[in-house]
Amino acid sequence: MTVHGPRVAAAAAPREGAARILRYLTAGESHGPMLLGILEGMPAGVPLRQAYVDGRLHRRQAGPGRGGRQKIERDTVEIVAGVRAGETLGSPIGLIVRNRDWANWQGVLGPAPEDVDPERAAAKALHRPRPGHADLAGAIKYDRTDLRDVLERASARETAARVAVGAICAELLLAVGVRVLGYVTALGPVQAPPVPPDTGLDVLEQAVDASDCRCWDPDTTAAMHGAIREATLAKDTLGGLIEVQAVGVPIGLGSFAASDRRLDGRLAGALMSIQAIKAVEVGIGLAAARLRGSQVHDEIVPGEPGDGAAPSRYRRPTNRAGGLEAGVSNGEPLLVRAAMKPIPTLLQPLRSVDMRTGEPIVAGYERSDVTSVPAASVVAEAVVAFVLAQALLEKFGGDSLGELRRNMEGYRARVMSR
Ligand code: EPS
């Protein structure tokens, strides 16, 4: 019994992540046959449109500054489990995004020894790690001699599967009146003016969709094109800034009660998990550090909430907190920002070392993109949609969309009485 007791306690203790009501996994190499996604925990009865998911995948592929790969791929989702006649079943949702480029990589990659032609594999092998990429640490960590074994999975190609997963989560959010939009606010040195106050999400989405850089302001989009042209000529790469807004977010998602329930931490973690993201801000973010409390905090006044805010009996004249206070959604539009570093694969490579010989040499070059900030804004939207769907299901539960809606209506009635 003395051995048994602690064992039972350990098994019962919730591990971080294990208790989550909605979860996903992706698999797939950049140049392998396909990317796979499994999303588990979606309630039944959520309308799911393939065209909606494909629309997000197409947005992710667009944008100037992308390399030759996007001319090969035509990303589209194949939903292979968990959905019937356009409605989720409550079972795990399985999805596939095929890599058309796989046709060019047979003989180099493949699970069985006979799949790989040693001469072709040697011709595509890499030994000069790119500074800023996963190459060096990945090769040491996993004890691989060919850096291809690392970069195939570290590649941001994986984000195609995450966008498909996020789009399915966005379908759930749309069904309960929550909308999410990601867009670009800076690309390299070019910064867009702030989105004009009180721009509705519909208007903003139209403006963002009209820009291949996914920036609301046409003049800034033109300047971004110029910056990408210059970086291309200089054989260099560009990073940028992304913003994600969500409207209709109910009061009370996330919690201050335990550190791993805080929604700000979970959103920041999800955004930081996107390839090449180096910083995240919530609301006015870093700027708050230089201001006084009276200039930062959003006053509370009686009255109807503003556009995009959840119903309640309180209005916030400002939203510097970005819709989150103490790790809990406060009903105001959610506003988060992420900074993407420039892509590490450079046509004019930085110094590196040949890992076979230990001799100094320049880093290897693989076909890549000059920038993928517009694509990253679509990925950021997807991961925010996932975290919000997860937090929503934690708060309201429900095995079907109808049950979730009833739970939300009951809560809303209580919110309006407070
Ligand atoms: C990437 C390198 C490029 C990108 C790729 C991400 O691919 P390739 O090595 O095949 O030229 O285009 O992004 C995608 C394939 C994608 O769909 O976003 C990298 O190294 O991360």
Side-chain angles (χ1 to χ4, degrees):
M1 289 305 283
T2 47
V3 175
H4 197 58
R7 264 209 207 142
V8 170
R15 281 179 296 118
E16 192 176 349
R20 297 282 182 237
I21 205 161
L22 184 71
R23 54 194 173 151
Y24 76 95
L25 268 181
T26 71
E29 275 67 44
S30 178
H31 304 100
M34 66 187 71
L35 300 164
L36 302 168
I38 296 183
L39 176 63
E40 195 272 331
M42 279 288 278
V46 179
L48 187 50
R49 299 160 294 171
Q50 153 132 17
Y52 180 81
V53 182
D54 282 349
R56 265 48 193 176
L57 289 173
H58 298 157
R59 282 183 181 178
R60 196 199 68 92
Q61 281 205 275
R66 299 284 260 164
R69 181 71 185 272
Q70 300 314 320
K71 294 187 180 71
I72 300 173
E73 303 299 343
R74 303 272 179 283
D75 291 346
T76 175
V77 73
E78 289 169 53
I79 295 170
V80 295
V83 180
R84 184 176 181 206
E87 269 193 15
T88 58
L89 299 174
S91 44
I93 298 173
L95 62 89
I96 290 172
V97 180
R98 290 188 197 274
N99 295 322
R100 286 166 60 127
D101 206 14
W102 164 238
N104 306 317
W105 287 82
Q106 293 188 27
V108 180
L109 303 171
E114 56 273 23
D115 294 337
V116 177
D117 166 6
E119 261 179 42
R120 285 208 62 203
K124 289 285 194 186
L126 295 154
H127 302 99
R128 297 179 284 147
R130 292 160 292 177
H133 214 284
D135 299 347
L136 178 63
I140 294 170
K141 173 178 168 66
Y142 289 100
D143 198 16
R144 309 309 299 169
T145 49
D146 181 357
L147 301 181
R148 177 155 305 287
D149 292 348
V150 173
L151 71 90
E152 282 292 332
R153 184 60 187 164
S155 163
R157 174 74 189 149
E158 182 265 345
T159 60
R162 278 207 258 184
V163 166
V165 164
I168 297 171
C169 295
E171 287 276 56
L172 171 73
L173 296 175
L174 282 171
V176 297
V178 180
R179 291 184 50 197
V180 188
L181 180 69
Y183 47 93
V184 175
T185 59
L187 206 153
V190 181
Q191 170 85 49
V195 175
D198 300 324
T199 307
L201 210 67
D202 278 331
V203 172
L204 183 58
E205 185 160 14
Q206 271 173 23
V208 168
D209 275 346
S211 157
D212 59 357
C213 294
R214 299 199 67 72
C215 171
W216 73 272
D217 179 47
D219 291 342
T220 310
T221 298
M224 286 174 174
H225 277 263
I228 295 168
R229 270 195 305 274
E230 280 171 29
T232 310
L233 285 173
K235 300 183 171 167
D236 222 321
T237 57
L238 292 176
L241 291 175
I242 290 157
E243 222 162 75
V244 183
Q245 271 194 46
V247 297
V249 180
I251 299 174
L253 302 192
S255 176
F256 47 81
S259 57
D260 65 339
R261 293 190 188 280
R262 287 185 174 255
L263 194 58
D264 45 7
R266 289 161 62 183
L267 285 163
L271 289 163
M272 287 296 292
S273 81
I274 300 170
Q275 292 81 340
I277 299 297
K278 298 300 277 184
V280 174
E281 289 184 312
V282 178
I284 62 169
L286 290 175
R290 291 186 289 273
L291 299 170
R292 293 190 172 168
S294 57
Q295 301 168 305
V296 168
H297 301 298
D298 305 305
E299 289 184 305
I300 303 167
V301 298
E304 198 159 306
D307 281 350
S312 81
R313 295 168 54 213
Y314 306 94
R315 197 165 69 78
R316 312 300 284 262
T318 55
N319 182 22
R320 302 179 190 116
L324 285 164
E325 289 171 306
V328 184
S329 61
N330 65 8
E332 292 297 303
L334 184 90
L335 184 67
V336 290
R337 216 169 286 117
M340 183 183 201
K341 70 181 179 182
I343 284 169
T345 308
L346 304 180
L347 256 169
Q348 214 151 44
L350 298 173
R351 286 186 300 168
S352 184
V353 171
D354 188 321
M355 290 183 79
R356 288 167 304 186
T357 62
E359 292 299 318
I361 195 162
V362 292
Y365 179 74
E366 276 271 293
R367 174 189 65 186
S368 188
D369 307 326
V370 173
T371 190
S372 54
V373 179
S377 72
V378 182
V379 182
E381 177 183 307
V383 303
V384 168
F386 168 75
V387 173
L388 289 181
Q390 191 184 50
L392 187 91
L393 291 171
E394 280 170 13
K395 168 105 182 91
F396 298 107
D399 291 313
S400 67
L401 180 60
E403 194 175 353
L404 171 67
R405 280 184 172 146
R406 279 195 297 281
N407 295 346
M408 290 181 74
E409 275 159 26
Y411 176 71
R412 192 168 303 154
R414 181 163 71 73
V415 169
M416 296 312 292
S417 73
R418 292 296 314 273

